[in-house]
Amino acid sequence: MNSTGDYEYYEYIYYGTNDNSHNKGNELSKWVKITSAFLMLPIIVLGVLGNLLTLLVFLTRERRKSSIGIYLSALAIADILVLTLPGMEFWLITVHHKYIRDSSDLLCKLFSFVTPALACLSAWILVALSIERMLRVCAPLKMNVLSKPKHAIFAVAAVTVTVSAIFLPLISGSSLEKFGNMSICLYIDESIFTPEAFTALDMTFLFAAPFLIMLINNSIILVKVAGCVERYCGKSRESNTVRNSPRHQRMLKTITRRVILLCVTYMTCNAPLMILNAIGSSTNYDQLSPLFHNLNFMFHILLYLNNSINFLLYCLIGSSFRNDCLKMMSSFMRKLCALCHIGTYK
């Protein structure tokens, strides 16, 4: 959603109207405030903590030597930024009716840029990960050479630069506009992006293109895995190397299942809001039914849930990830207890 659309939408869900006849006792406002207070804050807090723990696990010496570790570390960083910036802004608006981007021109430009850019960055890192996994399944011998951490770092950097360049005009085009005694952050430079063009870009770059690419990649992976024979699975009758060991094959299968699950979760959490936005993109907010706005609000929460639950998905799929998390937390608790023990004798 663009800046103007965001403002109209949040005015509606908080007040039940986006004209100047605000009624803070509106039932829709109370429902939104209570729901957001009890759902969004746990999503943000637990999501940030889970992604931080994920980042610490994948930055260990052993895991950062793999391209998968680099991709998942970058994804964790992107998810943390999504939850702490756009996610926290959404919570403050719906619970406290505080518009951060309306506070200053700097914050207006910052949030106008990071809200769509960070969501797209998270999506396209996942796309790059699905492409890497698809190529690894289809051409394992070639990918043993090409799938290196430095290549993953280059891919993440390329995605970051590309996404930033696409949404960079939002920084120069956004500014605070005065409406009576109110200052509202709007995108006013329509020589670059019209509202319709931005909506189309948002729909295409944030959802349609990533959805299609991930769907194709995951379909290819599933076909290859389903019809797996020894030459596809990377096994060899003539050799018994580490890469062909049962442990290595289990690890590859775990990584493949993890990537597929991440992609399916992304598509499931993002599809409802994107489809709803496509339906309402050509209609004025005042003309839409309360059901549309209720669904829009709930689908926003589902959108942020996608950035919060990756840690749980990793724990669900990989036993080694669970063990590493337990070891890390156990080590932290031992150090904490040792510091407390030392403190008692000072």
Side-chain angles (χ1 to χ4, degrees):
M1 299 173 71
N2 56 39
S3 298
T4 306
D6 278 341
Y7 180 79
E8 292 174 348
Y9 167 64
Y10 291 133
E11 285 291 284
Y12 189 95
I13 63 173
Y14 194 85
Y15 292 120
T17 177
N18 56 8
D19 58 22
N20 291 323
S21 57
H22 297 330
N23 175 18
K24 294 191 177 183
N26 187 276
E27 291 182 3
L28 183 61
S29 164
K30 293 179 181 178
W31 178 82
V32 166
K33 185 173 183 177
I34 293 172
T35 305
S36 185
F38 282 95
L39 290 182
M40 272 303 296
L41 194 58
I43 287 175
I44 292 172
V45 173
L46 295 179
V48 170
L49 292 177
N51 280 304
L52 283 174
L53 188 54
T54 298
L55 187 60
L56 292 175
V57 170
F58 283 112
L59 286 180
T60 55
R61 181 176 298 179
E62 181 181 354
R63 290 182 179 270
R64 69 169 177 257
K65 293 179 181 179
S66 68
S67 59
I68 296 296
I70 300 298
Y71 283 120
L72 294 182
S73 297
L75 183 62
I77 294 173
D79 286 342
I80 290 172
L81 292 175
V82 169
L83 292 170
T84 53
L85 292 174
M88 185 57 70
E89 182 195 28
F90 178 81
W91 181 78
L92 287 173
I93 290 173
T94 53
V95 176
H96 298 287
H97 194 222
K98 182 176 178 60
Y99 294 79
I100 299 178
R101 66 178 67 189
D102 291 348
S103 302
S104 68
D105 193 60
L106 176 63
L107 291 176
C108 172
K109 294 179 181 296
L110 173 65
F111 278 92
S112 295
F113 171 73
V114 300
T115 298
L118 288 176
C120 282
L121 179 62
S122 179
W124 284 92
I125 289 174
L126 197 52
V127 168
L129 179 59
S130 71
I131 291 174
E132 196 271 352
R133 185 54 18 195
M134 183 270 292
L135 294 175
R136 186 66 182 245
V137 171
C138 293
L141 295 180
K142 292 182 180 180
M143 288 305 294
N144 285 339
V145 177
L146 297 176
S147 182
K148 301 293 183 183
K150 61 180 181 181
H151 298 139
I153 293 173
F154 175 80
V156 171
V159 168
T160 304
V161 171
T162 302
V163 169
S164 300
I166 290 174
F167 291 102
L168 200 60
L170 294 177
I171 296 179
S172 58
S174 299
S175 66
L176 286 180
E177 291 293 302
K178 291 287 186 179
F179 292 88
N181 60 349
M182 298 175 62
S183 296
I184 302 174
C185 178
L186 297 174
Y187 182 76
I188 58 174
D189 188 3
E190 295 190 4
S191 62
I192 301 176
F193 283 147
T194 62
E196 294 77 15
F198 183 77
T199 299
L201 177 66
D202 200 26
M203 290 287 296
T204 302
F205 201 66
L206 177 59
F207 177 68
F211 183 95
L212 183 60
I213 295 173
M214 284 189 281
L215 183 63
I216 292 172
N217 290 339
N218 289 334
S219 299
I220 293 173
I221 291 172
L222 290 174
V223 169
K224 287 291 186 180
V225 171
C228 186
V229 292
E230 287 188 346
R231 62 190 180 93
Y232 288 138
C233 295
K235 298 179 182 178
S236 173
R237 292 190 181 95
E238 300 176 359
S239 63
N240 189 27
T241 63
V242 173
R243 291 189 179 275
N244 297 323
S245 66
R247 180 178 179 276
H248 184 72
Q249 295 304 319
R250 286 196 302 270
M251 183 185 70
L252 292 179
K253 290 179 181 178
T254 298
I255 293 172
T256 300
R257 289 197 298 267
R258 181 182 295 157
V259 172
I260 292 175
L261 186 58
L262 286 174
C263 294
V264 170
T265 302
Y266 169 83
M267 292 185 286
T268 302
C269 291
N270 283 264
L273 181 61
M274 294 304 156
I275 294 172
L276 196 68
N277 283 345
I279 295 172
S281 60
S282 59
T283 307
N284 187 279
Y285 275 90
D286 288 330
Q287 299 173 348
L288 295 171
S289 67
L291 176 61
F292 178 91
H293 294 283
N294 289 336
L295 290 175
N296 206 340
F297 167 69
M298 293 306 299
F299 291 161
H300 267 82
I301 293 180
L302 189 63
L303 190 74
Y304 291 116
L305 181 64
N306 171 66
N307 302 105
S308 178
I309 62 173
N310 286 344
F311 172 76
L312 298 178
L313 299 180
Y314 300 151
C315 291
L316 180 65
I317 292 295
S319 59
S320 62
F321 180 84
R322 292 194 299 270
N323 293 334
D324 288 346
C325 287
L326 291 174
K327 290 178 182 178
M328 189 168 292
M329 288 188 289
S330 177
S331 175
F332 173 78
M333 292 303 298
R334 284 198 302 270
K335 291 178 181 179
L336 185 62
C337 291
L339 287 175
C340 294
H341 183 71
I342 293 173
T344 58
Y345 290 96
K346 284 185 177 181

